[in-house]
Amino acid sequence: MPDLETRLAARPLYLQVRDVLVQRIVVGHWKPGATLPNETQLAQQLGISIGTVRKALDLMEVERIVTRRQGRGTFVNDYASAETTFPFSMFHNFEGQRISGYKRGRSIARVQASVEEAARLGVRRGDELIRIERLREHQDETFMTEVCLLPAKLFNRLPEDFGGYRLSALAQLNSILVGRADERVDIALANAQVASDLGVEEGTPLLRLDRVIFSDHEDALEWRVAHCFMRNERYLVRFN
């Protein structure tokens, strides 16, 4: 098997540069909101061309790790900031206004992964998971129920208000970068508990969102299943 140095050398140089820059962010060399050195400075530090640095930064911007602002520089994205939009499903009203809803945590527990949970999260059956049940409310109405499962081994640091966490901020707190998501949307019938939470009749058709979010290293960070009652004033917008 090729050694680590050989494997790294086989990767395109701009990807190696991306990994070096990301690692510096993860270990805290550059904090959220910090400005990176300019392209010329980075090229000199790494002994590479400006074009290679630019290509690495272009990729990091696509991955939402940094934001590049004309004439101002390149900034590390702060996922703990309310201004940072997480790039997956969101709800809007017909005027185009975003409805994120108030998150109300109902329960938090540490559980052992079932066969299905282990398969979806890429862990072993019986591994410890953090299970969060919560509701989302808008204008004093509950419009969504959520069950979230996270591998406990990845999240040693938890905020005080953990029930209302945002995964992007939680990942950043634990030096993890969020990557892609696999998302499914279908229709499900409300069971007794979900119907009670949403104030609808049991058996009412609901929108079900099933989503697994991965880190940039392809570790599953969260499996979330949500049920939503789509009243007339709301619709779903999906971002790929």
Side-chain angles (χ1 to χ4, degrees), residues 21-164:
L21 300 180
V22 166
Q23 183 61 24
R24 291 183 181 181
I25 293 172
V26 168
V27 301
H29 183 80
W30 295 310
K31 302 292 186 181
T35 306
L36 268 61
N38 63 40
E39 293 174 356
T40 300
Q41 292 170 326
L42 288 173
Q44 291 173 346
Q45 290 176 16
L46 299 172
I48 57 177
S49 70
I50 292 177
T52 300
V53 170
R54 185 172 297 134
K55 193 170 182 179
L57 292 175
D58 285 344
L59 175 59
M60 291 171 66
E61 186 168 35
V62 169
E63 294 173 326
R64 291 177 171 261
I65 298 169
V66 299
T67 296
R68 305 172 81 182
R69 297 173 185 164
Q70 185 68 34
R72 296 183 59 191
T74 301
F75 298 84
V76 179
N77 284 337
D78 182 0
Y79 285 109
S81 168
E83 296 178 359
T84 303
T85 301
F86 199 67
F88 301 112
S89 297
M90 296 183 295
F91 291 88
H92 293 69
N93 62 19
F94 286 131
E95 286 71 43
Q97 297 171 324
R98 182 182 175 188
I99 299 172
S100 59
Y102 169 74
K103 298 175 186 176
R104 178 162 60 87
R106 183 163 62 185
S107 68
I108 301 174
R110 291 181 180 264
V111 300
Q112 292 184 325
S114 67
V115 172
E116 181 185 18
E117 292 163 351
R120 294 302 301 276
L121 289 167
V123 298
R124 294 176 300 179
R125 180 182 179 183
D127 280 1
E128 186 178 56
L129 304 177
I130 304 171
R131 177 187 172 94
I132 304 97
E133 295 185 14
R134 62 190 184 189
L135 307 175
R136 289 197 187 220
E137 301 172 348
H138 177 66
Q139 295 180 347
D140 298 322
E141 281 186 326
T142 299
F143 71 95
M144 182 187 292
T145 69
E146 294 179 331
V147 176
C148 310
L149 290 162
L150 302 92
K153 64 182 179 181
L154 298 178
F155 298 100
N156 295 316
R157 302 176 65 188
L158 302 177
E160 290 185 11
D161 182 23
F162 182 54

Side-chain angles (χ1 to χ4, degrees), residues 1-9:
M1 178 180 294
D3 59 24
L4 178 61
E5 184 176 351
T6 301
R7 293 200 305 273
L8 286 176

Side-chain angles (χ1 to χ4, degrees), residues 187-196 198 200-207 227 229:
I187 302 297
L189 302 181
N191 62 28
Q193 181 62 62
V194 171
S196 175
L198 295 175
V200 299
E201 295 290 332
E202 187 174 352
T204 298
L206 304 173
L207 191 69
H227 291 85
F229 183 55

